[in-house]
Amino acid sequence: MITGAQMKAARALLGIGQKDLAGMAGVSVPTIQRMEASEANVRGVVESLMRVIEAFDRAGVELIGEGARSPRGGRGVRLKEAAPASAGGGADGRD
């Protein structure tokens, strides 16, 4: 499955906005917004989710599931386990 955070990261890698992704996948912008708002695995209409995943694949982004290997190699981004929230604010200490 894919998470909302993975979708945002994949869009960032491609340098595209939600409207661009919606057009590539043939879904609506509100659908992309709902998917990206998911805190865990994206939920919704399976067909819409598959369209988004296929759009990322066509654009050259491989979505890697939890604990999965990337058989094709290449560059990528993967989150480690979630870091504990700090009382000091953001990672750069500016918050």
Side-chain angles (χ1 to χ4, degrees), residues 11-72:
R11 278 194 311 101
L13 285 171
L14 294 172
I16 62 172
Q18 291 177 330
K19 184 176 180 181
D20 300 313
L21 177 57
M24 292 166 55
V27 299
S28 69
V29 173
T31 295
I32 298 298
Q33 291 170 336
R34 279 191 302 275
M35 288 178 171
E36 288 189 356
S38 299
E39 291 185 24
N41 288 336
V42 171
R43 295 177 188 231
V45 178
V46 174
E47 182 181 346
S48 296
L49 180 57
M50 293 307 299
R51 286 180 175 198
V52 170
I53 292 170
E54 289 167 2
F56 281 134
D57 189 57
R58 285 190 308 272
V61 173
E62 179 181 0
L63 300 166
I64 306 168
E66 181 71 30
R69 293 185 177 266
S70 177
R72 292 183 268 191

